[in-house]
Amino acid sequence: MTLLSIILLPLAGALLPLFTERFGRTLCAYSAAFGPLCALGILLGSASSVFSGHTEHVFFAWLPEIGLNLSLRLDGLGLMFALLIVGIGLLVVLYARYYLSERDSLGKLYALLQLFMMAMLGIVLSNNLLLMIVFWEITSLVSFLLIGYWSHQSDARKGARMALAVTGAGGLCFLAGALLIERIAGSFELDAIFAAAEQIKAHANYPVILVLVLLGAFTKSAQFPFQFWLPHAMSAPTPVSAYLHSATMVKAGVFLLARMHPALAGTDGWFYLVTFTGMATLLFGAYNALFKHDLKGLLAYSTISHLGLITMLLGFSTDLAVVAAIFHIINHATFKASLFMAAGIIDHETGTRDMRKINGMWKYMPHTALLAMVAALAMAGVPLLNGFLSKEMFFSEALHLESMGMFSWIFPLMATLAGIFSVAYSVRFIHDVFFNGEPIDLPKYPPHEPPRYMVVPVEILVGLCLLVGILPNLTIAPFLEAASRAVLGHEMPDYHIAIWHGFNLPLIMSFVALAGGLLMYKQRSGLFAFYERKFRHDEKILFESRVQFSVRVAQMFTDFIQNNSLQRYMALLIGSAVVAIGYALLPNMQWMGPLSVTELEPVSLLAAIILAVGALGTVLLHHNRFAALLLMSVVGLVVSLIFVRYSAPDLALTQISVEVVTIVLLMLALYFLPQMTPNESGAKRVGRDILLASAAGLGMGLITFAMLTTPYETISDFYLANSVSGGGGANVVNVILVDFRGFDTLGEITVLAIAAVGIYAMLNGLHLPLPQADGDGRLWDKEPHPPILSVMARILLPLAILVSVFIFLRGHNAPGGGFIAGLVTSVALILQYVASGTVWMQQRLRWRYRRVAVSGVLIAVLTGVGSWFFGYPFLTSTFGHFYIPLIGEIELASAMAFDTGVYITVVGATLLILAHLGKLAQTTHSPRPSTSTSFTEAELSKGEN
Amino acid sequence: MEILISVVIALLTSCGVYLLLRGRTFPIILGLTLLTYAVNVFIFMSGRLNPGASTIIGVGERYTDPLPQALVLTAIVISFAMTAFVLVLALRARAELGNDHVDGRNSVEEVKS
């Protein structure tokens, strides 16, 4: 539980600074430090148990179905990284308080920093690979926001985008690798994966897994050839750079290498890929760092090179190399964070980061200069500083490696070369910035020491560099031991960290590097000219051009499929459906099942012919819209006959009443639309559409036939068996609707009500030109409401209502129910509208149909909620028998109340739609009888050609 | 009978899809309705052909599968709501654009895509 709070504290703490920002910057900083401080306390508290070899676990199931669990572990590696993350995070909080100008929002920076801290802690404490990836992606996202903190600068935006693109792509590779690992290990839990290490390494997919996981690690840790994002991420505020690009984000990649070391390392593939990538990065970074004039640029390339060094050591994967790698992770984090902070101070005080301008700072800020120089010497690997110890171990491991046979000399050689460059750029950092004459037109002059507390974090870090460098066994050894044990999986190899190992080969290499580095720096003018001539390359331009290129390709593709023509979308959609389903079904389709075909009935054949005439007629006559509509209604009637024939009286009743409402609706709408469809499809278009339609129809027909001739097991036996006993109704279809699947029905009437309200909104303020004549040019009758019809309709109304009540009441036990009753009521009321007009109806029926529809849904919901009061789940129904005087015993089910809701919704929604559409005709008709005739006639003449 | 039903569904689908591919709103709505018939009958037929059966307990000797019927019943009502919605959308589009072409274009030359 305490383990979980380590992650939750910064997460909760992320909100604090946003609230406290208005009370001043110092309070804001305190509140930002609160969460991490508590986390630090918890971590230190559990340190001793970790040192003794205990691994703490926490496990909560999150989405166990896919293997994602909130599963954490605190082992030596996790502890070491967590301390780095929280510790340096706290120093960055203090530093940022003084670094950020008044204009920038301190609270936002703190919130993002803590969010980032949370994600990093999540990565290092995860015991579940999938969980780790979740946090991994959060670091990518939050780092995007942090790098782009100054979002008004285009550099910051582009740098942030590049970092996100590169690390995000790597994260996806990592995810793919993790999924493959799970297929072999059977779990995402790290313990299970470590246990299955041998199976993973022996598996045919191992090379793929390795490459994918390494891609994730290499992109995050800026390894060659993905290093280019890191220098561009320097457009972030310096506290962010000090945190992300020294101690945390870029270390996530090497952390992943260390974490997956037990599961993936120890093969040739690992050795070659990791070692040589590390070596290339080491040299590339060290070489480029020397030539950067930007202070942070130098540090960025130096970071790349040190990350390469760590990667290379992990690639060696001997026991001592792993110890050295972990040691260097700590050392690099301390000296590089302090250097970034020092660079930020110099930037802050001089207003520039250009080393050609910043000179002679020793005179102006001796305190900062001294600290920065010590840190830079640690970076160069000078004795008595921590960088020296791990570099010495690196040289020694490079010397002892014999995996490459006769080519093994390449490692010490390259290591020394990188050492030379590393000394050279460190010396440049010291000499160019703090000495080398006077500063040249600084934006801020004269520079002076920064606020006292801004230097404190640097002092602490430099103090650690010295302490570890001089007394390694008293300070760092237990952490190192616990971390190495976690990576190696067994006890520590016999080793001791010491400043003096005697006069041996690694020491000579160190001296060569020191001397060579000094010499190289002395010859810098020639080298600089050479670099300027030969090696000027800008990854940003390349990256941006790639981005532009992919945008163009995407645009071309979009333009092809999205040409703003619904007809093309439809054709593509139907075509894709036909192709996809055909591709899946054709190869192993069984055209006919084992059941034999039943005999053809003559009456059914006749009905089918009528249906065919209706359907084909609708298509053939679709230019004459009214005729097509009438023919289509024939199809609807035959469909309801199909329902009758095959034992579905409920469906037949619903179909026939919906049919009436639909046709009335379509006729009403047709009144406002052109009566004719112009003939505008070319022969090619018609041919294509006939082809598509035939393919779709043929496919549906074949699937239907295959389905009908295949025997099946129904799942409805449950409903048949429990309808009376459980639902209190004999009509199983109705009981399914209002009881067994009541929740679906609730959703459905909600959709109906939403559609009605949407239609109401669309009709609001709609003005349509009114036709004065029908399709053949005959004028509409002046008397819209013939008396015979209105008298008949009024007589019919009570009868129809009676019928609908009857249908409603018997619905539970015989064909009927809320839907059908609602539709019958609607039809009866619509008939009144048609016969007597909207005005007449409005005077008599003052319902607001919106309210009716919504209250129907509300009744249904309340029925469902009601069962909560009796301690049952939502929509549990009950029923009982009641005795009413005169009528006798009747059965009442609570589902009846639900069905009432359905009934009211159907009536409300249907009338809302139709009455408002009808009112449209009325309102636009009467006041201005002949306004828009010209438009209508133009429309008509077009329709007829 | 199975063949006949299959032919009916095939025909309804073809007619529906063809009309769906037209360029004016009203034929598209007709096509949508035809396609709805096809789909509803198809879902209904997943309960197989059961003439003379019943879904009412205690009536008749054989029972047919009530579940597809319940599904289709809701489907009929939902498709009514959908038809109405699309129809009013078409009216609104005609009012806003001045024509009833789905792409908001009126002249014959423009609609070649």
Side-chain angles (χ1 to χ4, degrees):
Chain A
M1 201 57 228
T2 48
L3 211 47
L4 192 60
S5 59
I6 295 175
I7 296 176
L8 293 180
L9 275 167
L11 182 62
L15 291 172
L16 267 182
L18 294 173
F19 291 114
T20 54
E21 192 178 13
R22 71 195 70 168
F23 304 115
R25 295 163 73 82
T26 310
L27 191 71
C28 185
Y30 275 125
S31 69
F34 178 73
L37 262 179
C38 296
L40 186 68
I42 295 171
L43 277 170
L44 289 175
S46 24
S48 61
S49 94
V50 174
F51 289 159
S52 64
H54 177 72
T55 303
E56 200 181 324
H57 282 91
V58 171
F59 184 91
F60 298 100
W62 184 358
L63 287 173
E65 294 82 3
I66 60 164
L68 178 61
N69 294 308
L70 204 58
S71 164
L72 303 175
R73 70 190 266 142
L74 184 68
D75 57 7
L77 187 68
L79 176 74
M80 186 201 88
F81 265 95
L83 281 174
L84 270 182
I85 292 160
V86 176
I88 295 187
L90 277 167
L91 296 178
V92 167
V93 165
L94 175 60
Y95 178 79
R97 153 75 183 83
Y98 296 96
Y99 177 85
L100 227 54
S101 75
E102 298 284 343
R103 288 190 308 277
D104 301 319
S105 160
L106 197 61
K108 180 181 152 195
L109 183 77
Y110 281 151
L112 288 173
L113 275 176
Q114 293 203 66
L115 215 54
F116 188 82
M117 186 185 288
M118 179 279 296
M120 277 305 297
L121 287 169
I123 291 179
V124 301
L125 296 179
S126 288
N127 193 28
N128 182 299
L129 212 49
L130 218 47
L131 183 69
M132 192 192 285
I133 289 169
V134 172
F135 287 119
W136 186 276
E137 294 297 330
I138 298 177
T139 61
S140 292
L141 290 174
V142 181
S143 78
F144 172 80
L145 296 172
L146 279 168
I147 297 171
Y149 176 78
W150 285 319
S151 51
H152 53 277
Q153 297 176 355
S154 118
D155 272 2
R157 290 196 305 269
K158 283 183 181 160
R161 188 171 74 184
M162 195 190 280
L164 181 67
V166 176
T167 57
L172 288 179
C173 293
F174 178 23
L175 175 62
L179 293 177
L180 285 174
I181 290 176
E182 196 263 353
R183 294 279 287 275
I184 303 172
S187 166
F188 286 112
E189 299 293 309
L190 284 179
D191 303 313
I193 292 170
F194 294 159
E198 291 313 313
Q199 286 150 262
I200 294 172
K201 285 180 219 170
H203 199 273
N205 277 343
Y206 172 72
V208 185
I209 294 173
L210 184 65
V211 168
L212 287 170
V213 173
L214 288 182
L215 276 174
F218 288 170
T219 48
K220 203 79 163 178
S221 274
Q223 296 295 301
F224 187 83
F226 308 108
Q227 82 295 336
F228 55 88
W229 69 266
L230 184 58
H232 292 289
M234 289 302 128
S235 39
T238 303
V240 172
S241 304
Y243 194 44
L244 265 62
H245 308 126
S246 73
T248 56
M249 166 131 150
V250 293
K251 291 286 164 63
V254 285
F255 169 81
L256 181 64
L257 292 181
R259 189 47 111 198
M260 297 312 286
H261 194 274
L264 298 176
T267 60
D268 279 353
W270 172 280
F271 174 77
Y272 287 109
L273 280 173
V274 181
T275 307
F276 282 95
T277 305
M279 194 159 85
T281 313
L282 170 67
L283 288 169
F284 181 88
Y287 171 75
N288 278 289
L290 180 58
F291 302 105
K292 293 293 156 205
H293 299 303
D294 176 10
L295 212 51
K296 278 175 82 178
L298 184 150
L299 293 177
Y301 276 100
S302 142
T303 300
I304 292 175
S305 121
H306 282 275
L307 289 167
L309 189 155
I310 297 165
T311 305
M312 197 172 163
L313 277 168
L314 286 168
F316 290 171
S317 72
T318 57
D319 288 0
L320 276 175
V322 169
V323 178
I326 293 167
F327 195 18
H328 200 70
I329 289 173
I330 307 173
N331 292 338
H332 175 251
T334 42
F335 66 68
K336 192 52 65 66
S338 60
L339 280 172
F340 265 116
M341 289 180 185
I345 291 174
I346 293 164
D347 181 13
H348 196 251
E349 299 305 324
T350 62
T352 177
R353 299 191 323 222
D354 192 334
M355 278 191 279
R356 287 167 295 192
K357 292 181 181 168
I358 311 166
N359 298 314
M361 285 299 128
W362 176 254
K363 256 187 291 181
Y364 300 97
M365 41 173 91
H367 186 66
T368 310
L370 186 69
L371 292 170
M373 277 153 64
V374 175
L377 290 176
M379 176 163 77
V382 169
L384 291 183
L385 291 160
N386 58 358
F388 170 74
L389 296 173
S390 45
K391 193 165 266 189
E392 199 81 335
M393 287 167 85
F394 168 56
F395 285 162
S396 152
E397 282 311 297
L399 275 171
H400 289 131
L401 210 68
E402 277 151 13
S403 332
M404 293 273 288
M406 56 180 294
F407 291 105
S408 293
W409 52 265
I410 194 167
F411 298 117
L413 187 77
M414 291 298 145
T416 316
L417 188 62
I420 292 172
F421 275 110
S422 155
V423 169
Y425 68 68
S426 301
V427 171
R428 180 176 179 212
F429 183 86
I430 296 170
H431 180 256
D432 225 356
V433 172
F434 300 111
F435 304 101
N436 201 17
E438 279 297 307
I440 302 158
D441 41 80
L442 292 180
K444 287 187 194 166
Y445 190 84
H448 45 72
E449 289 283 358
R452 180 69 195 90
Y453 285 102
M454 196 171 175
V455 200
V456 168
V458 191
E459 284 169 345
I460 294 175
L461 288 169
V462 170
L464 282 174
C465 288
L466 280 163
L467 214 58
V468 172
I470 297 168
L471 301 166
N473 288 314
L474 290 179
T475 50
I476 202 71
F479 293 98
L480 206 52
E481 200 182 314
S484 310
R485 201 167 44 217
V487 178
L488 294 170
H490 52 78
E491 282 305 307
M492 281 291 285
D494 183 30
Y495 84 108
H496 55 286
I497 319 168
I499 304 164
W500 180 249
H501 281 281
F503 199 74
N504 55 12
L505 217 47
L507 196 66
I508 294 175
M509 285 162 76
S510 283
F511 279 125
V512 171
L514 273 176
L518 285 170
L519 198 68
M520 182 178 275
Y521 182 64
K522 228 170 151 36
Q523 304 298 323
R524 61 187 181 281
S525 51
L527 279 170
F528 273 54
F530 172 72
Y531 182 83
E532 291 287 317
R533 248 194 347 268
K534 287 270 176 196
F535 289 94
R536 280 186 65 96
H537 56 281
D538 196 345
E539 301 93 345
K540 186 146 91 183
I541 294 170
L542 195 67
F543 180 82
E544 285 297 322
S545 73
R546 294 266 164 82
V547 169
Q548 295 305 329
F549 176 73
S550 55
V551 167
R552 272 202 307 279
V553 172
Q555 189 65 48
M556 272 160 58
F557 185 68
T558 311
D559 287 346
F560 170 69
I561 55 167
Q562 295 250 330
N563 65 343
N564 286 333
S565 162
L566 186 77
Q567 279 178 288
R568 174 173 295 190
Y569 301 165
M570 275 295 178
L572 280 172
L573 202 67
I574 293 166
S576 315
V578 167
V579 169
I581 295 172
Y583 178 78
L585 285 185
L586 281 182
N588 38 18
M589 175 97 179
Q590 217 179 338
W591 301 113
M592 188 180 163
L595 294 184
S596 56
V597 174
T598 51
E599 205 181 322
L600 188 71
E601 300 155 10
V603 182
S604 300
L605 183 64
L606 185 67
I609 290 169
I610 296 172
L611 181 135
V613 169
L616 286 172
T618 311
V619 173
L620 293 176
L621 292 179
H622 82 267
H623 291 290
N624 185 344
R625 294 177 172 184
F626 188 66
L629 181 55
L630 290 185
L631 280 167
M632 198 192 71
S633 68
V634 173
V635 178
L637 292 177
V638 178
V639 167
S640 55
L641 285 179
I642 295 179
F643 292 143
V644 171
R645 177 75 189 102
Y646 293 106
S647 328
D650 287 280
L651 289 191
L653 280 171
T654 315
Q655 178 68 51
I656 206 155
S657 40
V658 164
E659 195 61 31
V660 173
V661 181
T662 309
I663 299 298
V664 171
L665 182 72
L666 282 167
M667 284 172 88
L668 205 53
L670 188 56
Y671 176 68
F672 295 101
L673 290 169
Q675 303 300 307
M676 304 297 262
T677 304
N679 206 346
E680 54 195 3
S681 302
K684 220 170 110 188
R685 167 68 61 85
V686 170
R688 183 198 74 179
D689 292 349
I690 288 179
L691 199 72
L692 273 175
S694 315
L698 189 69
M700 276 295 277
L702 288 174
I703 292 172
T704 312
F705 186 66
M707 178 182 79
L708 285 178
T709 50
T710 309
Y712 85 121
E713 289 269 317
T714 175
I715 55 167
S716 302
D717 290 337
F718 169 82
Y719 299 123
L720 289 170
N722 288 292
S723 178
V724 174
S725 57
N731 182 1
V732 188
V733 176
N734 185 266
V735 175
I736 290 176
L737 284 176
V738 298
D739 192 338
F740 292 128
R741 312 288 304 164
F743 207 73
D744 295 353
T745 310
L746 180 62
E748 188 208 356
I749 57 171
T750 312
V751 171
L752 189 64
I754 290 173
V757 173
I759 287 167
Y760 173 78
M762 276 197 290
L763 289 175
N764 215 353
L766 179 66
H767 291 293
L768 279 164
L770 282 179
Q772 302 301 306
D774 72 354
D776 297 328
R778 287 179 297 236
L779 290 176
W780 291 108
D781 198 338
K782 285 198 191 69
E783 176 54 70
H785 309 302
I788 297 180
L789 180 62
S790 47
V791 170
M792 286 304 289
R794 280 168 219 179
I795 296 169
L796 275 175
L797 181 65
L799 287 173
I801 301 286
L802 196 67
V803 168
S804 78
V805 171
F806 173 67
I807 286 178
F808 176 78
L809 285 176
R810 71 184 217 138
H812 220 47
N813 293 307
F819 277 118
I820 301 164
L823 286 165
V824 171
T825 309
S826 308
V827 171
L829 287 171
I830 288 164
L831 185 62
Q832 305 308 310
Y833 278 99
V834 173
S836 309
T838 315
V839 182
W840 187 87
M841 274 301 275
Q842 267 180 337
Q843 286 162 353
R844 285 158 185 83
L845 197 65
R846 293 169 188 276
W847 290 348
R848 300 250 177 127
Y849 294 122
R850 268 170 298 161
R851 293 191 185 164
V852 176
V854 172
S855 58
V857 179
L858 216 60
I859 289 172
V861 172
L862 286 176
T863 319
V865 172
S867 50
W868 281 344
F869 293 105
F870 301 97
Y872 291 105
F874 189 64
L875 272 178
T876 311
S877 77
T878 179
F879 63 96
H881 295 263
F882 301 91
Y883 180 79
I884 299 176
L886 293 179
I887 296 175
E889 188 180 286
I890 63 155
E891 185 187 297
L892 276 179
S894 72
M896 190 77 106
F898 183 78
D899 218 10
T900 312
V902 174
Y903 170 83
I904 294 174
T905 312
V906 171
V907 173
T910 315
L911 286 174
L912 178 62
I913 296 165
L914 282 162
H916 278 91
L917 201 53
K919 206 164 78 181
L920 200 65
Q922 217 84 27
T923 48
T924 26
H925 212 260
S926 330
R928 30 175 203 150
S930 60
T931 36
S932 39
T933 35
S934 58
F935 182 84
T936 323
E937 273 157 16
E939 198 69 44
L940 280 171
S941 61
K942 196 181 292 296
E944 277 159 347
N945 59 29
Chain B
M1 277 316 294
E2 280 79 1
I3 297 173
L4 190 67
I5 293 288
S6 307
V7 170
V8 162
I9 290 177
L11 185 74
L12 285 175
T13 310
S14 292
C15 293
V17 168
Y18 180 79
L19 287 177
L20 215 55
L21 291 166
R22 299 300 95 216
R24 301 281 166 165
T25 50
F26 198 76
I28 288 181
I29 294 165
L30 293 185
L32 212 55
T33 313
L34 285 178
L35 201 60
T36 308
Y37 291 145
V39 172
N40 284 348
V41 174
F42 178 75
I43 298 174
F44 175 61
M45 284 303 159
S46 70
R48 303 301 188 271
L49 303 178
N50 262 324
S54 149
T55 55
I56 313 238
I57 304 291
V59 177
E61 289 149 20
R62 289 179 301 118
Y63 297 117
T64 182
D65 196 340
L67 195 60
Q69 296 196 15
L71 288 176
V72 172
L73 205 153
T74 54
I76 292 171
V77 181
I78 284 280
S79 51
F80 162 68
M82 182 188 66
T83 309
F85 193 87
V86 175
L87 197 63
V88 176
L89 195 64
L91 288 183
R92 185 83 206 195
R94 162 140 160 90
E96 303 288 332
L97 303 169
N99 66 68
D100 68 337
H101 196 278
V102 284
D103 302 337
R105 290 174 298 198
N106 208 11
S107 78
V108 180
E109 289 74 36
E110 268 183 277
V111 287
K112 297 232 170 70
S113 58

